[in-house]
Amino acid sequence: MKTGIALFAAAALGFSLAATAQEGTLKKIKDSGSITIGHRDASLPFSYYDDKQQPIGYAMDLCHRIVDAVKKDLNMPKLETKYQLVTSANRIPLMANGTIDLECGSTTNNLARQKEVSFTITHFVTANRWVSKKSAKLHKLEDLKGKTIVSTAGTTNIKQITEINGQQNLGMNIISANGHPEAFQMVETGRAVAFVMDDILLAGLAAQSRSPKDYEISQQGLSVEPYGIMLRKDDAAFKKVVDAAMVDTYKSGAINGIYEKWFQKAVPPKGVNLNLPMSGAFKKVVAKPTDSGDPKDYE
């Protein structure tokens, strides 16, 4: 009898957890009267602070469209939007523990992360490269052999370059930084010869530096990195609303104006213009939306 009761209790618990997951974020938002967006402080132009310390950016604009869709779905026009600063290291834990409901930044969607969290439709496709001073002449991976390089803690980039270092016996001294600006500063000051990170983020940092012309981003790419807005895992109801908002943004053509605003025009606070047309890989996503975490689907 005790075994039967235990099995029944376990089944009931399993059902309860499944029901909670199904209701998940939408119920949490409705009960609290608010939705919390996780954002970055220096991932230009995706998610960063303006001169008034307000979070802005390309990913933030997309998240605001998602919030509007949630308001409509829940019939809560006065739903409060809260903001929570996150880092590369804590963004996944803060999503998993319910602190944030959407993570709107420059987060790579890959198969490993999909075991912990979910992603909505890809909103950018980048590649893992390195930035260095032109005078260093670090054009190929082999040129980094035996040198000190830096990447940001908690990113796919530092994980990948560490693996490559071991596999190819390059003998690099790899140091980690707490954030992208700190990592770039290490290259500026000579503490590291190169900073390995997503090329679009490197372009933004170089453009904002004291001497943008002093830096170059490697032609050689180490991987394809699809970016996605992150949400909790196994939350089908919330993901349906979020995905629908993203697909509508693409199918309606609204994505074109949003993309142009952040990648082809001067952006605050310094008026940096990345002059980056939409890539062929991302055009394919716009035409056929996907949340795939497999890099091969973007080649």
Side-chain angles (χ1 to χ4, degrees), residues 198-255:
D198 301 335
D199 53 14
I200 182 60
L201 300 180
L202 297 177
L205 289 162
Q208 296 176 85
S209 69
R210 296 185 186 88
S211 304
K213 294 181 181 179
D214 290 350
Y215 301 94
E216 63 183 1
I217 297 171
S218 66
Q219 290 294 313
Q220 183 176 358
L222 304 177
S223 68
V224 175
E225 306 281 328
Y227 283 176
I229 291 166
M230 191 165 58
L231 51 149
R232 268 177 290 285
K233 188 174 173 62
D234 299 326
D235 195 339
F238 186 55
K239 192 174 190 313
K240 182 178 179 181
V241 175
V242 174
D243 285 355
M246 290 293 290
V247 170
D248 177 70
T249 300
Y250 292 177
K251 296 299 184 183
S252 68
I255 187 62

Side-chain angles (χ1 to χ4, degrees), residues 26 28-36 66-72 74-82 101:
L26 289 176
K28 174 180 177 290
I29 292 169
K30 190 163 188 175
D31 289 348
S32 67
S34 65
I35 183 170
T36 303
I66 291 172
V67 171
D68 287 342
V70 172
K71 288 180 179 179
K72 185 176 180 180
L74 295 177
N75 192 25
M76 296 178 70
K78 295 184 179 180
L79 179 68
E80 181 185 4
T81 302
K82 296 181 178 180
D101 302 311

